[in-house]
């Protein structure tokens, strides 16, 4: 046997075999020289795609081996016996390897040719997530793009969405490297990632936050303590009143309070420590989104209830030429007017009420000396009814 350009000359009865081997870039791969056992000489060559010129890679005489310096472009090449091992495999190693082996069989010297088509798979790199607008105004379109610098095709993509309430949610309707929100709204806010994967591996991008700008919505005013009448909210004089305004907005709303068209406060909560009757009126909350320069407002009517001065006055006076007894009860002023009614005891009596003053006629025959009568006064500003008691000493 002789060498020609570093290759063994073929023999007529040479053995041939072909196979396809898959390797992964930056990992290791083993290329075996067929089923030849204890070859006398092994010669490996490599032909890159699109070329017809093989290049020497390594040769061994069974005792010593030599790897060509130019083989470094393939990776870290080692020849052990007849097996070619390539560590730190490079993409440049993709192509056809040929092993020519001289061996002895039945006291004859023979040559075998083994052709290996090596396919080098490239793992997908970490995806890079981009948005055409990471802080869109509600209603505007948003396009998210997931790209990888390298990776053996086909590369498939999946999308994930993270919210504080629901955690991670897979976006099953998203397909491919694009996620298209034709009309972004506040429900789309959150962190997004994309995952790229091929037959080798999968990689997930860094998170990117979608911050949808919106609002303010129409404000809602709440009042504490909560009490209402037919016109709106009400409060009792000297109470602490807390008015809170809420208008969902991103960025958060800036609030301004007006009382009867005059600005009185800036902030979400307007607190009146001891409200007075002079503070009855219309309270307006103006909500502003300073980023969008948009605003909304709403108004409520707050009525302050207050008691009349002093205490109720009650007295018995003769009526019908001293035949009957007129019970008079009076407590004027306040808002709304005080409700008054006479009862004979806590358990019984006439519970028909009138406002500010009430007169009840008792028939003389029903009145006994020392009889006691009670006038009850009721008002929203009273924690409990006020009593005015009078006693008939003589009749």
């Amino acid at each position: 046997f002789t060498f020609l350009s570093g290759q063994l000359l073929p023999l007529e009865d040479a053995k041939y075999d072909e196979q396809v081997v898959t390797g992964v870039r930056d990992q290791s791969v083993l290329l075996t020289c067929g089923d030849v056992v204890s070859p006398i000489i092994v010669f490996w060559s490599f032909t890159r795609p699109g070329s017809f010129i093989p290049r020497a890679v390594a040769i061994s005489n069974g005792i010593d081996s030599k790897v060509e310096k130019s083989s470094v472009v393939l990776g870290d090449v080692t020849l052990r016996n007849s097996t070619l091992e390539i560590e730190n495999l490079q993409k440049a190693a993709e192509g056809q390897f040929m092993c020519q082996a001289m061996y002895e069989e039945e006291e004859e010297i023979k040559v075998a040719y083994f052709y290996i088509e090596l396919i080098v798979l490239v793992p997908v790199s970490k995806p890079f997530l981009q948005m055409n607008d990471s802080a869109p105004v509600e209603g505007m379109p948003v396009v998210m793009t997931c790209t990888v610098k390298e990776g053996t095709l086909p590369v498939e993509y999946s999308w994930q969405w993270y919210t504080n309430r629901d955690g991670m949610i897979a976006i099953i309707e998203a397909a491919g490297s694009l996620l298209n929100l034709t009309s972004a709204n506040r429900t789309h806010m959150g962190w997004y990632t994309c995952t790229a994967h091929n037959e080798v591996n999968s990689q997930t991008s860094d998170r990117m936050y979608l911050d949808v700008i919106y609002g303010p919505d129409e404000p809602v005013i709440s009042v504490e303590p909560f009490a209402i009448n037919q016109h709106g909210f009400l409060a009792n004089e000297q109470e602490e009143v807390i008015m809170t305004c809420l208008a969902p907005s991103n960025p958060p709303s800036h609030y301004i309070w007006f009382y009867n068209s005059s600005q009185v406060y800036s902030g979400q909560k307007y607190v009146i420590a001891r409200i007075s009757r002079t503070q009855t009126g219309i309270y307006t909350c103006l909500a502003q989104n300073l980023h969008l320069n948009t605003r909304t407002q709403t108004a409520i009517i707050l009525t302050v209830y207050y008691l009349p001065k002093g205490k109720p006055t009650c007295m018995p006076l003769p009526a019908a030429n001293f035949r009957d007894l007129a019970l008079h009860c009076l407590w004027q002023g306040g808002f709304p007017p005080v409700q008054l009614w006479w009862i004979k005891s806590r358990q019984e009596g006439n519970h028909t009420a009138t406002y500010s003053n009430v007169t009840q006629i008792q028939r003389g025959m029903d009145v006994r000396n020392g009889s006691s009568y009670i006038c009850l006064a009721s008002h929203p500003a009273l924690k409990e009814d006020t009593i005015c008691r009078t006693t008939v000493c003589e009749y």
Side-chain angles (χ1 to χ4, degrees), residues 261-321:
S261 301
S262 297
Q263 183 175 336
V264 291
Y265 185 71
S266 177
Q268 187 174 13
K269 284 189 176 183
Y270 179 35
V271 179
I272 303 175
R274 295 170 64 88
I275 198 164
S276 73
R277 65 194 72 180
T278 61
Q279 292 172 297
T280 289
I282 299 173
Y283 289 84
T284 302
C285 171
L286 173 69
Q288 296 176 305
N289 184 322
L290 300 180
H291 181 84
L292 296 175
N293 195 27
T294 51
R295 60 190 63 193
T296 54
Q297 67 180 47
T298 193
I300 62 167
I301 297 175
L302 179 63
T303 304
V304 179
Y305 286 178
Y306 58 94
L307 289 168
K309 291 182 180 180
K311 295 182 178 181
T313 301
C314 55
M315 63 184 73
L317 294 174
N321 292 325

Side-chain angles (χ1 to χ4, degrees), residues 191-212:
W191 294 94
Y192 287 80
T193 60
C194 66
T195 299
H197 48 96
N198 62 6
E199 62 178 296
V200 181
N201 70 324
S202 65
Q203 288 269 27
T204 300
S205 69
D206 291 332
R207 291 184 179 188
M208 193 169 186
Y209 192 75
L210 177 63
D211 191 24
V212 180

Side-chain angles (χ1 to χ4, degrees), residues 83-128:
T83 300
L84 194 70
E85 181 179 1
I86 307 176
E87 295 181 323
N88 191 27
L89 183 65
Q90 298 300 300
K91 183 65 176 176
E94 189 166 86
Q96 187 181 69
F97 286 81
M98 182 178 66
C99 174
Q100 302 174 63
M102 181 194 302
Y103 62 99
E104 185 177 358
E105 186 177 84
E106 297 178 354
E107 299 183 352
E108 292 185 10
I109 302 300
K110 296 184 178 182
V111 174
Y113 292 83
F114 297 98
Y115 295 90
I116 298 175
E117 188 71 29
L118 178 62
I119 299 173
V120 179
L121 301 178
V122 178
V124 291
S125 57
K126 184 175 181 177
F128 180 65

Side-chain angles (χ1 to χ4, degrees), residues 11 43 48 50 59 65 131 141 147 150 175 194 215 224 394:
L11 297 177
F43 175 73
R48 65 185 182 185
I59 189 169
S65 62
M131 296 182 187
T147 56
E150 56 186 1
C194 66
E224 297 178 51
E394 291 185 6

